[in-house]
């Protein structure tokens, strides 16, 4: 009768190969999960931003989207999606969009210049200011949806 101690030298190399393969597969799965979490987080941000920005009026106030925190968020949306080159051509840079959304989500103290469409107004705010505006405005919509306003 052989014990585990007798068999282990015979299968040891195979055992460690299988263990290494299982750990590498686990690393790949964890990396995929991290990507999906990141994608979900960015999608939630975009969905909330769209809920705020694409609402022209709120509680029968047609100027709602053009005042206060909502105006800053509208300018931020333009900063994300509507930039142009010096020649006037659309400037599309997905890394810019993702980077800005990540900074918004983290509320970093980095300053950003938001320019109105007519280029007559420039507002300098931080991503932390924008995050506060974003959260307050979305909570205002949630409260109204739940009948608390």
């Amino acid at each position: 009768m052989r014990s585990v101690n007798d068999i282990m030298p015979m299968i040891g190399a195979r055992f460690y190969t299988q263990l290494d393969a299982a750990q590498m597969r686990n690393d790949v799965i964890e990396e995929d999960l991290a990507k999906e979490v990141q994608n979900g987080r960015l999608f939630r941000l975009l969905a909330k931003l769209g809920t705020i920005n694409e609402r022209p009026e709120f509680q029968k106030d047609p100027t709602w989207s053009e005042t206060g925190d909502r105006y800053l968020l509208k300018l931020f949306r333009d900063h994300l999606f509507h930039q142009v080159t010096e020649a006037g051509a659309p400037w599309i840079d997905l890394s810019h969009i993702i980077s800005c959304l990540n900074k918004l989500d983290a509320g970093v103290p980095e300053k950003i210049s938001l320019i109105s469409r007519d280029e007559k107004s420039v507002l300098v705010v931080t991503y932390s200011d924008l995050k506060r505006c974003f959260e307050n405005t979305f909570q205002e919509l949630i409260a109204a949806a739940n009948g608390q306003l």
Side-chain angles (χ1 to χ4, degrees):
M1 188 109 190
R2 292 188 175 183
S3 71
V4 170
N5 292 333
D6 297 331
I7 297 173
M8 213 46 206
M10 293 184 271
I11 64 168
R14 290 184 189 148
F15 175 77
Y16 289 116
T17 302
Q18 290 300 315
L19 182 62
D20 187 47
Q23 287 179 339
M24 286 185 353
R25 178 70 182 139
N26 189 44
D27 290 344
V28 168
I29 290 171
E30 282 184 16
E31 186 177 321
D32 288 345
L33 177 62
K35 288 177 186 174
E36 291 304 318
V37 167
Q38 171 80 350
N39 290 340
R41 188 178 56 79
L42 292 176
F43 173 76
R44 280 190 301 280
L45 276 173
L46 285 173
K48 288 178 179 181
L49 191 62
T51 301
I52 294 165
N53 286 138
E54 303 306 322
R55 186 174 307 281
E57 70 174 52
F58 177 63
Q59 295 183 335
K60 299 180 182 174
D61 180 5
T63 63
W64 181 81
S65 66
E66 299 291 326
T67 59
D69 292 348
R70 281 89 50 198
Y71 185 66
L72 288 176
L73 294 172
K74 180 181 176 181
L75 294 179
F76 179 69
R77 181 214 38 213
D78 289 348
H79 175 75
L80 280 177
F81 301 114
H82 300 154
Q83 291 201 16
V84 294
T85 64
E86 290 178 14
W91 182 66
I92 300 172
D93 184 0
L94 292 179
S95 64
H96 165 75
I97 294 169
I98 291 170
S99 173
C100 289
L101 287 172
N102 283 329
K103 290 174 184 179
L104 173 67
D105 191 39
V108 297
E110 180 182 328
K111 291 183 180 178
I112 179 175
S113 296
L114 301 176
I115 303 168
S116 64
R117 287 187 179 178
D118 62 5
E119 297 181 353
K120 291 182 180 179
S121 301
V122 177
L123 300 171
V124 178
V125 296
T126 64
Y127 283 99
S128 58
D129 294 334
L130 285 171
K131 182 176 182 176
R132 181 189 47 75
C133 294
F134 180 76
E135 289 172 350
N136 291 343
T137 303
F138 192 73
Q139 286 307 315
E140 183 181 354
L141 292 175
I142 292 295
N146 293 332
Q148 297 173 356
L149 282 181

